[in-house]
Amino acid sequence: MERGDFLQQMGWLLMGLLPGWSRGDGLWRRGVLPPFLREGDLIGLTAPSGAIQPAEVAPAVSVLQAWGFRVQLGETLGLQDGSLGGSDAQRAADLQRMIDNPLVCAIFCARGGYGVTRMVDALNLGEFRRHPKWIVGFSDITALHLHIWRQTGVISLHSKMCGSFPAQWLEAPSLVQETLLSIRHALTGHAVPLACPPHMADRSGLAEGPLVGGNLSMIHTCMGTRSEIDTRGAILFLEDVGEYPYSIDRMLTNLQRAGKFNQLQGLVIGGFTQMKKELPGEAFGRSLEQMVLEKVPAGFPVCFGFPIGHQLENYALLHGQRYRLEVTEDGSTLEISVPG
Amino acid sequence: MPILPRYLKSGDTVGLVCPAGRMSLARMRTCLRILEQEWGFRVRRGQTLGAGDGYFSGTDAERAADLQEMLDDDSVRAVLCARGGYGMTRIIDLINFSRFVRHPKWVIGFSDITVLHMHLYAQYGVVTLHAPMAAAFQQGGWRKPSVRSLHQALTGHVYQYASPAHPFDRPGTGQGLLVGGNLALLAHLVGSPSFPRTEGNILFLEEVGETLYNIDRMMRQLLRSGQLERLAGLVIGGFTDSRDTERPFGQTAYEIVRDVVEPFPYPVCFGFPVSHGPENLALKAGSLHRLFVAEGAVLSDLSEMPSPRQQSGRKCR
């Protein structure tokens, strides 16, 4: 056992004695919810992954302001180092400043791309543990969600980022408005249950547990690291974009061989969009549903086509929050489980 | 203590299988001819040769059964995987290696076959051959150094490979068991029972057709999971046909690797002839080697030396 893991487990033991850290089903802790946002609260915008220009975040800034929040632009906006939003040190420092700044109530990651795993180990989460705040984003930010959850047990927000905000809010399609409003609702403590139409390959059932996951490639690339996903007793959700089918199969096989599907309570499959074209004669020839179902053991519900991913239908989800998943022949629902 | 299978001699039987992607019989013809007529081996043809109608050369069960049979057939002295592609991880846990471990034989291949090599190293300590496969024999390839090195390694030749100097090389000497293979496959094994121990070992890596950011991501994964810290040495082969994204990543594959291992003291050599390109020398994975990097690099096969554990280069820290 590594030192970090040992300390962490000792930490859980101690936390189990504290109120608010009751260990759920004997094994499972409840996450720590950062304080919900109120009007006038400050949201910090930073680029921990790919480069983004201040002009590109302008639509998001004006919408966040219209929702009543104040916005602080991080120093990484406008920086560029190759495809990254500044050097590893610059990106880590910008994020660290927002973590340590008591006035910042939520940290909104401007975009994904690639870069979190290059600097996440440089973060000092001491202040974050004492004063948790919301971390918002998805895709590459999955690594940050996983890291935060594993290292601090703090709940974070898996949602759209700046590029999804329309220049003209009023002219935006209602689906765009609705998915973006789910961010506001979640941040202010008014998250609504999500519904999903039935899918041929769904496996019915009822599940409850902390919701963990996100981008499959990122979950996969965090294996063996301090950010490795813990799926025991959890509802796992997965999405990915722009991968070859064989590569998706390979990543799922790796999770399977690492035992990550063995103690699941439920599985939620979101969008696997823009799959790369295969060479003629090299078609993998298996559907996503086949790839998933042949690898997961029986005994828990599985739902396909859930509205999360690199797509218009990408609703905000609280990573680490205890959810209740119900999959029936009439469709699926995913809602925050009420303690009691 | 690594388990070294018995070397082959003329008249021995080589089993040819296709445990991963599908391959037409036509593309294996040269390989079969050379094995039989030039190298003087007999060939046992697996059921999966030319089989399958989709992506794989048969179902998981069929591919596993074919490999199992070759591994368990005492008359077969070496199992040559005709092709990589993708598929080894899907069947590795279906294989029973108990008989193979008692009667070890050479397992040959690279790319996707990295999974099999590293599984056999991590679980059983059996030495395997990371070497060219059937396609490399074609178009006169069998006359070239890479395919010839396979024949030499298979028949007991102890090698000493030289690699030209590269500006990123880091001089030094390291000794340890040689582990590694394809970077993507290694990254895909992290967390699974097939992942090799890298501490005190010489790691070798090659890659093909990956995007630069993904090469960086996989190197960072190995770094973050502690697999690059205590190496005896690092051998970087070809990173062929690397691609870039719309927003350029801003570093070449070798620059990525150089920067990731910059904090560590062990010797590193770049441009070693192991790759998906024409330069792909046979390497005994899981066996004791010495890496010497000065003006250029030399990788020496020390498989005939006793007690590798005691001699492995763990002192380099």
Side-chain angles (χ1 to χ4, degrees):
Chain A
M1 187 185 296
E2 299 221 339
R3 185 182 139 82
D5 287 343
F6 175 75
L7 289 176
Q8 188 183 337
Q9 293 193 359
M10 289 308 291
W12 297 140
L13 283 177
L14 291 174
M15 284 172 192
L17 305 172
L18 300 172
W21 280 93
S22 68
R23 288 162 61 83
D25 315 307
L27 249 171
W28 298 117
R29 54 193 156 108
R30 289 196 195 288
V32 176
L33 263 178
F36 290 118
L37 267 60
R38 286 176 304 196
E39 220 176 291
D41 277 349
L42 184 63
I43 295 179
L45 226 57
T46 182
S49 307
I52 188 165
Q53 295 304 313
E56 295 176 83
V57 305
V61 170
S62 57
V63 170
L64 291 174
Q65 287 170 340
W67 290 349
F69 303 122
R70 290 177 302 128
V71 177
Q72 182 188 79
L73 296 190
E75 289 174 11
T76 43
L77 301 183
L79 289 184
Q80 186 159 358
D81 180 355
S83 64
L84 303 168
S87 70
D88 294 344
Q90 286 170 323
R91 298 192 328 282
D94 200 31
L95 184 53
Q96 187 72 56
R97 267 194 299 276
M98 292 191 175
I99 285 173
D100 295 341
N101 181 350
L103 299 177
V104 172
C105 302
I107 300 171
F108 206 98
C109 298
R111 75 170 274 246
Y114 168 64
V116 166
T117 54
R118 288 175 59 102
M119 58 75 162
V120 71
D121 288 328
L123 295 176
N124 179 342
L125 296 173
E127 187 57 24
F128 188 80
R129 276 190 197 92
R130 286 187 289 277
H131 302 286
K133 55 185 70 178
W134 290 96
I135 303 271
V136 186
F138 82 117
S139 195
D140 194 58
I141 311 304
T142 295
L144 195 50
H145 293 312
L146 295 177
H147 189 74
I148 292 284
W149 177 244
R150 171 115 196 206
Q151 296 296 326
T152 71
V154 171
I155 291 167
S156 54
L157 192 65
H158 184 277
S159 80
K160 287 185 170 181
M161 296 175 290
C162 289
S164 300
F165 283 78
Q168 300 294 329
W169 176 265
L170 291 174
E171 288 159 28
S174 63
L175 186 57
V176 170
Q177 296 183 353
E178 201 182 310
T179 48
L180 290 173
L181 279 170
S182 72
I183 300 175
R184 181 190 190 182
H185 293 148
L187 285 176
T188 52
H190 303 100
V192 289
L194 294 180
C196 167
H199 187 288
M200 292 274 286
D202 280 353
R203 233 164 59 179
S204 296
L206 188 65
E208 209 177 315
L211 183 72
V212 296
N215 183 266
L216 174 61
S217 296
M218 295 315 299
I219 293 168
H220 180 261
T221 205
C222 286
M223 292 294 291
T225 73
R226 294 175 65 226
S227 321
E228 180 173 320
I229 193 167
D230 184 352
T231 59
R232 290 171 299 171
I235 299 173
L236 175 67
F237 72 105
L238 301 173
E239 64 88 22
D240 214 328
V241 63
E243 290 290 341
Y244 287 106
Y246 88 88
S247 181
I248 291 169
D249 191 78
R250 198 162 67 172
M251 293 189 281
L252 290 170
T253 303
N254 171 250
L255 294 186
Q256 177 196 27
R257 296 195 67 219
K260 295 295 176 186
F261 298 142
N262 288 349
Q263 296 178 55
L264 283 187
Q265 294 297 308
L267 180 59
V268 173
I269 304 296
F272 279 71
T273 48
Q274 299 169 47
M275 283 214 212
K276 280 192 197 150
K277 283 230 166 54
E278 300 153 304
L279 296 172
E282 285 281 300
F284 191 62
R286 273 167 179 67
S287 67
L288 175 69
E289 293 77 16
Q290 280 175 302
M291 289 192 251
V292 170
L293 290 176
E294 70 182 7
K295 293 180 190 63
V296 299
F300 54 79
V302 181
C303 141
F304 289 92
F306 202 81
I308 43 159
H310 286 71
Q311 55 193 20
L312 262 186
E313 287 196 284
N314 183 20
Y315 290 90
L317 288 172
L318 280 73
H319 185 272
Q321 168 72 45
R322 253 186 112 73
Y323 273 83
R324 184 175 172 280
L325 169 71
E326 186 170 19
V327 183
T328 70
E329 286 175 8
D330 303 321
S332 309
T333 51
L334 185 63
E335 60 182 319
I336 290 176
S337 108
V338 183
Chain B
M1 180 90 191
I3 301 169
L4 209 62
R6 183 168 76 75
Y7 292 113
L8 269 68
K9 54 187 189 307
S10 174
D12 278 344
T13 301
V14 174
L16 195 61
V17 291
C18 235
R22 188 165 59 93
M23 188 180 200
S24 70
L25 282 171
R27 296 190 67 215
M28 298 176 201
R29 204 163 290 143
T30 315
C31 174
L32 285 164
R33 181 170 64 81
I34 301 306
L35 286 175
E36 289 178 331
Q37 293 173 19
E38 296 289 332
W39 295 359
F41 298 135
R42 280 181 294 191
V43 176
R44 180 175 169 195
R45 302 178 185 210
Q47 301 287 326
T48 48
L49 297 192
D53 47 9
Y55 186 88
F56 300 114
S57 57
T59 64
D60 290 350
E62 286 165 350
R63 291 183 346 264
D66 196 29
L67 180 57
Q68 184 78 60
E69 202 170 322
M70 290 293 184
L71 291 174
D72 291 348
D73 179 348
D74 288 343
S75 70
V76 170
R77 303 304 316 164
V79 179
L80 173 59
C81 299
R83 195 200 148 197
Y86 162 65
M88 202 62 234
T89 37
R90 289 177 59 102
I91 63 166
I92 189 89
D93 294 328
L94 302 175
I95 309 281
N96 181 342
F97 291 101
S98 55
R99 186 177 174 83
F100 169 80
V101 173
R102 289 199 307 276
H103 306 280
K105 59 186 70 178
W106 292 101
V107 170
I108 310 160
F110 77 113
S111 195
D112 194 55
I113 312 303
T114 297
V115 173
L116 185 52
H117 292 326
M118 288 303 100
H119 188 80
L120 291 177
Y121 164 73
Q123 293 291 320
Y124 309 107
V126 175
V127 177
T128 56
L129 266 179
H130 184 278
M133 298 179 285
F137 286 73
Q138 297 181 111
Q139 289 152 5
W142 63 275
R143 297 174 197 273
K144 304 254 166 66
S146 295
V147 178
R148 276 173 40 214
S149 74
L150 165 60
H151 184 221
Q152 288 170 339
L154 206 47
T155 50
H157 178 79
V158 173
Y159 55 75
Q160 198 166 54
Y161 296 137
S163 165
H166 188 280
F168 294 170
D169 281 353
R170 273 202 334 226
T173 308
Q175 190 167 310
L177 303 182
L178 184 70
V179 298
N182 183 266
L183 171 61
L185 270 309
L186 272 183
H188 278 280
L189 293 180
V190 176
S192 83
S194 312
F195 195 83
R197 167 198 156 96
T198 60
E199 187 181 337
N201 290 343
I202 299 174
L203 178 68
F204 73 104
L205 299 171
E206 63 88 28
E207 187 52 275
V208 62
E210 275 298 341
T211 46
L212 292 167
Y213 88 90
N214 201 26
I215 290 171
D216 189 77
R217 193 162 74 176
M218 294 187 289
M219 288 303 297
R220 300 280 164 177
Q221 181 182 7
L222 293 185
L223 175 73
R224 295 190 64 216
S225 55
Q227 303 299 341
L228 300 177
E229 276 168 31
R230 297 180 189 84
L231 300 181
L234 179 62
V235 174
I236 300 300
F239 278 60
T240 46
D241 300 326
S242 296
R243 293 171 293 139
D244 209 344
T245 31
E246 207 175 302
R247 304 189 193 216
F249 184 68
Q251 277 193 312
T252 65
Y254 280 4
E255 284 169 346
I256 291 167
V257 175
R258 177 196 61 186
D259 286 3
V260 168
V261 300
E262 197 268 326
F264 308 119
Y266 45 75
V268 185
C269 96
F270 288 84
F272 191 86
V274 56
S275 73
H276 272 72
E279 292 199 313
N280 190 24
L281 298 175
L283 295 171
K284 290 176 192 166
S287 155
L288 187 66
H289 284 72
R290 180 187 293 128
L291 174 66
F292 173 73
V293 186
E295 300 288 308
V298 178
L299 185 67
S300 310
D301 168 14
L302 305 183
S303 54
E304 301 305 318
M305 286 179 62
S307 328
R309 269 283 164 237
Q310 288 154 24
Q311 301 193 6
S312 69
R314 265 182 286 172
K315 276 187 221 133
C316 69
R317 239 166 94 82

